[in-house]
Amino acid sequence: MKKIFLFIFITVSCALHAQHKTDAQLQNILSKNTDSLFQAVLSHPDEYRLQIIYTQINRDKNNKPSFTNYYFNVDPLFYFNPASTVKLPLAALSLEKMNEMKKPGINKFTSMQFDSAYPRQEKELYDSTSENNYPSIAQFIRKAFLISDNDAYNRMYQFIGQQNINRKLHAKGYKHTRITRQFMGYTDDENRHTNPIDFIDKGGKAIYHQPMQYNTDSFDYSHTVKIGKAHLNSNDSLINEPIDFTRVNNLPLEDLQQILQSILFPLSVTEKQRFNLLKDDYAFLKQFLSQFPSETNYPKYDTSQYYDSYVKFFFQDSLHHSMPSNIRVFNKVGWAYGFLTDASYVADFNNNVEFMLAATLYVNSDGILNDNKYDYETIGHPFLYQLGQTIYNYELKRKRKYKSDLSDFIIQYEKRNPNDIRPSIKDADN
């Protein structure tokens, strides 16, 4: 196969590559896969902005898990656009805020209505995808995890507030993480203001009002990141300059992996790192991190468009869109500007195999951003599939002292109602 090169012009405020972490053991595992495209990407990790974290999980005789991370080209300052992966911490923070509000009659299933009180803010009074036609935190989480819906992210952002999002994540130790933007094309100032919200009871009566929030905190934008040789602006005009990612969302791969681990295995991280969640919250997150659109009634997604492996990049085979019946993947993906990212926990219930895998890469061979011409299908998805299968096959053969009991991850998923005649959702903003 012809060697693939990406020419990326990057301006940074400090030398990036000095801190990249790579482990020989992970390199050795990856070298066993002789697929030509897979090895071409591995051979040029900085050109593809490739980062990988493989987390080996071993259980003791009491089934307590321990976690060992192996790295390939990982550096918190080696920027990638996190895209929809930021929906993972916002889902957990939304549930945490709900618990800390301690308002009678308000929980993740309570109906909400979003008003507007600042330029360009958009109202949202109803949600036709939900069973009762109203928005709720539970419905936003479903949509954000099942197909990576963008409106769901924006509304969770508005509920938590920009200030609270970042203060909470920094207090949990995620110092490099910065979530400052909604997916609405807002200015910095507009993103600091978030919509007023009413919680309503089953009769439509307001039971709690959250006024518009405004973030007065400042952010450190001293680390400059510019990527690409050119980009299209909002008017689709070609600008022959890199695109500036300095002030946008940032979620380093190590933080993303650790946030997922803290949600799925809260006792494995320090108390400071945990989210303030109820047992039911953890169960809810686990269900919708792993449930398929084909198993879900609300929202009712078109399963030819949103197939089972749609947001399961490590198992997204271009020839088959189904998932192995013995495997569940608990994960969050993101894709934008030529970046593809996935952070997953994989459980194989037939073979008692489990592991975590997080990876990101950049596939934009023409170096132009915002033109929607990226190499997702020819390079990105095939690489991530090969990566997932490489680690999975290694785990199938790896000897363990104690067999893993994965019963905590066996979930009774929904079943589609065969008599439901509602039209399926074919086009969502994701």
Side-chain angles (χ1 to χ4, degrees), residues 15 73 114 154 176 274 281 294 347 354 365-366 408 426 430:
N73 206 46
F114 292 76
N154 295 330
H176 292 287
R274 296 173 204 159
D281 295 331
S294 64
E354 62 179 334
S365 53
D366 67 7
D408 283 349
K426 295 180 182 290
N430 64 349

Side-chain angles (χ1 to χ4, degrees), residues 55 67 88-89 92-93 96 169 172-174 254-278 281-283 285-286 289 343 345 356 409:
T55 305
F67 299 79
L88 179 66
L93 287 174
E96 180 173 90
L169 291 174
K172 294 179 192 300
Y174 304 113
E254 286 182 276
D255 286 5
L256 177 60
Q257 185 276 336
Q258 196 69 3
I259 288 169
L260 181 62
Q261 182 177 324
S262 74
I263 290 170
L264 299 178
F265 299 91
L267 297 182
S268 73
V269 302
T270 63
E271 189 172 352
K272 182 182 85 167
Q273 287 177 281
R274 296 173 204 159
F275 294 89
N276 180 15
L277 304 180
L278 305 174
D281 295 331
Y282 283 115
L285 291 173
K286 284 164 71 172
L289 284 168
Y345 165 72
M356 295 186 72
F409 291 91

Side-chain angles (χ1 to χ4, degrees), residues 350-366:
N350 285 1
N351 297 292
N352 298 99
V353 163
E354 62 179 334
F355 63 93
M356 295 186 72
L357 182 62
T360 184
L361 79 162
Y362 175 71
V363 286
N364 184 24
S365 53
D366 67 7

Side-chain angles (χ1 to χ4, degrees), residues 28-44:
N28 183 54
I29 295 170
L30 299 178
S31 70
K32 304 300 183 187
N33 184 334
T34 60
D35 179 85
S36 57
L37 183 146
F38 186 69
Q39 290 301 326
V41 175
L42 286 175
S43 298
H44 301 89

Side-chain angles (χ1 to χ4, degrees), residues 136-206:
S136 68
I137 292 300
Q139 190 69 357
F140 292 142
I141 292 172
R142 290 187 187 104
K143 296 197 290 186
F145 288 174
L146 287 165
I147 67 156
S148 204
D149 183 275
N150 286 337
D151 177 72
Y153 162 78
N154 295 330
R155 299 306 177 178
M156 289 190 288
Y157 180 107
Q158 293 159 17
F159 169 58
I160 308 163
Q162 188 191 74
Q163 185 175 79
N164 201 31
I165 290 169
N166 290 281
R167 285 187 179 184
K168 286 280 191 176
L169 291 174
H170 293 167
K172 294 179 192 300
Y174 304 113
K175 299 295 186 184
H176 292 287
T177 294
R178 179 185 64 241
I179 300 179
T180 56
R181 289 200 178 181
Q182 302 174 67
F183 299 155
M184 302 184 78
Y186 283 175
T187 65
D188 286 356
D189 176 65
E190 288 164 348
N191 277 307
R192 287 179 173 273
H193 294 80
T194 51
N195 301 47
I197 302 168
D198 284 316
F199 288 86
I200 60 176
D201 63 19
K202 292 181 179 179
K205 180 183 176 182

